Amino acid sequence: MMQQILDDIAAQMTIETERGKVADYIPQLAHVDPNQFGIAVATPDGQVYSAGDASTLFSIQSISKVFTLTIGLSKLGSTLWNHVGREPSGDPFNSITILEYESGRPRNPFINAGAIAVVDAITMGREPKEILDEIIQFVHFIADDESICFDYKVARSEIDHEDRNAALAHFMKSFGHLQHDVDKILNTYFHQCSIAISCEL
């Protein structure tokens, strides 16, 4: 029954013409086929049903912010909120405007500036490779799947087009809100966003 429902949804999606627009602010993301559609459902008894392009990998981008926030809270507890706020921003996810009003302290951990601040907070003097190992191991644990990895083409594309995020990071650092080297923090952040999963994972 569940499989038939998902198959029907996937079949319906193949004839839909309203597909939106793939993200192109990172050039590598612009290569994603907008005609793809995948769906997966995991039931409480452990069964997984899927249809369409459910096994196709994609970079999770901002979803990764949930994982680093969780790591940050487990390491720093409530002191994490000294680095980033907990209020809605009211501005686009990559806006620098609100930082100007609030002296470089990001409003929340789910906008880019806030996620960068979280990465800085969990770095604790370590190199990007160490932080990325911790992040990917945490994702492996949460998903119970060690095949999850970084999409290095996406990460490279983000690094090559880092201007907006670099501006956010340097602005925060100018107010003393980042403690580590900006390039290292951004390297970690871009790789974090490039983690690739599928609907089934």
Side-chain angles (χ1 to χ4, degrees), residues 9-26:
I9 292 171
Q12 179 64 35
M13 288 305 298
T14 63
I15 61 174
E16 289 292 329
T17 57
E18 285 293 325
R19 288 290 179 171
K21 182 177 181 291
V22 296
D24 58 7
Y25 56 89
I26 301 165

Side-chain angles (χ1 to χ4, degrees), residues 82-196:
N82 296 333
H83 302 268
V84 61
R86 289 177 283 182
E87 298 295 329
S89 68
D91 285 323
F93 68 95
N94 60 355
S95 173
I96 199 170
T97 306
I98 199 72
L99 285 176
E100 292 190 86
Y101 288 117
E102 302 193 351
S103 301
R105 183 172 182 266
R107 273 283 179 98
N108 66 68
F110 299 120
I111 56 175
N112 286 12
I116 291 167
V118 170
V119 169
D120 180 70
I122 66 174
T123 293
M124 299 176 176
R126 296 176 293 169
E127 292 297 313
K129 185 182 185 310
E130 295 175 83
I131 310 304
L132 291 170
D133 283 346
E134 180 179 21
I135 293 169
I136 201 69
Q137 286 171 19
F138 179 63
V139 174
H140 289 168
F141 172 74
I142 293 294
D144 193 23
D145 190 316
E146 295 198 0
S147 71
I148 297 170
C149 58
F150 300 105
D151 184 326
Y152 292 106
K153 287 184 178 179
V154 170
R156 182 74 255 169
S157 189
E158 295 203 44
I159 291 167
D160 289 342
H161 298 83
E162 67 172 4
D163 294 343
R164 177 69 67 91
N165 285 309
L168 294 171
H170 282 291
F171 194 84
M172 288 189 288
K173 191 167 179 76
S174 74
F175 281 96
H177 291 297
L178 295 185
Q179 304 307 311
H180 299 86
D181 178 77
V182 166
D183 288 339
K184 290 182 178 181
I185 295 303
L186 290 176
N187 183 284
T188 303
Y189 174 66
F190 294 142
H191 280 82
Q192 160 199 318
C193 292
S194 80
I195 292 172

